[in-house]
Amino acid sequence: MEALGLDSPWLNKQDKQDTQNKAACGTAAASKEIHPPMSEIYISTDVESDGPIPGPHSMLSFGSAAYTADKQLLSTFSANLHTLPGAEPDPRTAAWWKTQPEAWAACRTDLQDPAHAMKNYVGWLKGLPARPVFVAYPAGFDFLFIYWYLMRFAGESPFSHSALDVKSFAMAMLRLDYRDSTKRAMPRRWFDKLPHTHVALDDAIEQGALFCNMLAENRAGAPGTTPADTTPARTTPPRTPPPGTPR
């Protein structure tokens, strides 16, 4: 039987409307299949501090970059913070900061009250179009500060108490021991040409791109990377991180 077009004289007005509605529904369904709604957004975050733990020491600056799984950078958030009352810099960390004058200057401008910044941060996270997942390298350091500051100054954590550690993800993909799963062991193809400056937002963006590249390769069904087929990402030693921040 020949299909009837919308301009067929055999279709009355209601038939034409029903046909158009069905076509529209079919298009919407197909669109959903091709572009499924996001279930989560990856919040790559970097923290700069003046010591190894919050409370006795302060978070000086933090930056977050919100990425989709396909590496779309949706939004960013960053803030430089006043130090905590009664807190003191760790001597070793203070000595390290003296070797990074540009990064130090960048994190000591336009200072905000921690309560104001963390409440704004919660608002930013809640305004994103999917649930936020905290991502860091190493998550054990950065999430420690962010979670403490969120609970202390905003009274809640949109991340709950969970964080995704890039180094642990690399361990699984590289099939190496955890201590060996450093950036120097990662293949060059995982790294975009982005700066690592110890300015929180710069490093968060760089780290987020790294994670998304790893995620894409993992989801593509790649068998993983073993030491034999890894081209080292670095040919020179990386910058020394602040004391108390294992990388």
Side-chain angles (χ1 to χ4, degrees):
M1 179 177 177
E2 183 179 352
L4 298 178
L6 289 179
D7 57 350
S8 170
W10 302 106
L11 288 178
N12 61 32
K13 185 175 181 180
Q14 185 60 50
D15 290 333
K16 291 181 180 180
Q17 185 62 53
D18 290 345
T19 302
Q20 289 173 331
N21 290 342
K22 288 178 181 178
C25 289
T27 301
S31 177
K32 281 188 176 182
E33 290 177 3
I34 297 171
H35 302 289
M38 287 183 290
S39 61
E40 54 190 28
I41 292 177
Y42 302 101
I43 312 301
S44 174
T45 301
D46 182 74
V47 165
E48 303 297 337
S49 72
D50 65 4
I53 58 173
H57 314 295
S58 301
M59 179 164 65
L60 303 175
S61 178
F62 72 99
S64 289
Y67 279 95
T68 62
D70 59 356
K71 208 167 72 171
Q72 294 182 55
L73 180 57
L74 297 181
S75 183
T76 63
F77 186 100
S78 63
N80 295 335
L81 307 178
H82 287 290
T83 55
L84 299 171
E88 295 289 341
D90 171 70
R92 293 179 302 165
T93 308
W96 178 85
W97 272 116
K98 289 181 179 179
T99 70
Q100 307 292 326
E102 292 182 3
W104 174 259
C107 77
R108 295 293 82 203
T109 59
D110 300 322
L111 301 181
Q112 299 183 35
D113 177 73
H116 175 76
M118 301 318 290
K119 289 174 183 176
N120 285 344
Y121 186 50
V122 168
W124 176 75
L125 290 168
K126 289 184 175 181
L128 295 171
R131 295 184 65 183
V133 176
F134 188 94
V135 176
Y137 181 108
F141 175 79
D142 299 281
F143 190 65
L144 171 68
F145 276 87
I146 292 294
Y147 185 76
W148 191 96
Y149 269 71
L150 281 171
M151 298 308 296
R152 172 67 180 82
F153 294 110
E156 61 178 310
S157 169
F159 302 113
S160 184
H161 48 265
S162 301
L164 195 162
D165 180 47
V166 176
K167 187 173 180 179
S168 299
F169 191 24
M171 174 189 177
M173 292 189 68
L174 295 171
R175 302 173 186 173
L176 293 173
D177 288 344
Y178 179 77
R179 295 292 183 185
D180 294 329
S181 302
T182 63
K183 289 183 179 179
R184 297 182 71 177
M186 297 178 189
R188 191 182 304 274
R189 65 181 178 274
W190 288 357
F191 293 85
D192 290 356
K193 293 182 179 180
L194 294 169
H196 187 85
T197 62
H198 292 300
V199 174
L201 186 56
D202 288 349
D203 293 358
I205 291 172
E206 178 210 28
Q207 173 185 268
L210 165 65
F211 169 74
C212 288
N213 291 337
M214 295 169 64
L215 183 63
E217 187 167 306
N218 180 264
R219 288 185 171 179
T225 304
T226 60
D229 61 13
T230 297
T231 301
R234 298 179 186 268
T235 56
T236 57
R239 293 185 184 182
T240 304
T245 58
R247 298 289 172 177

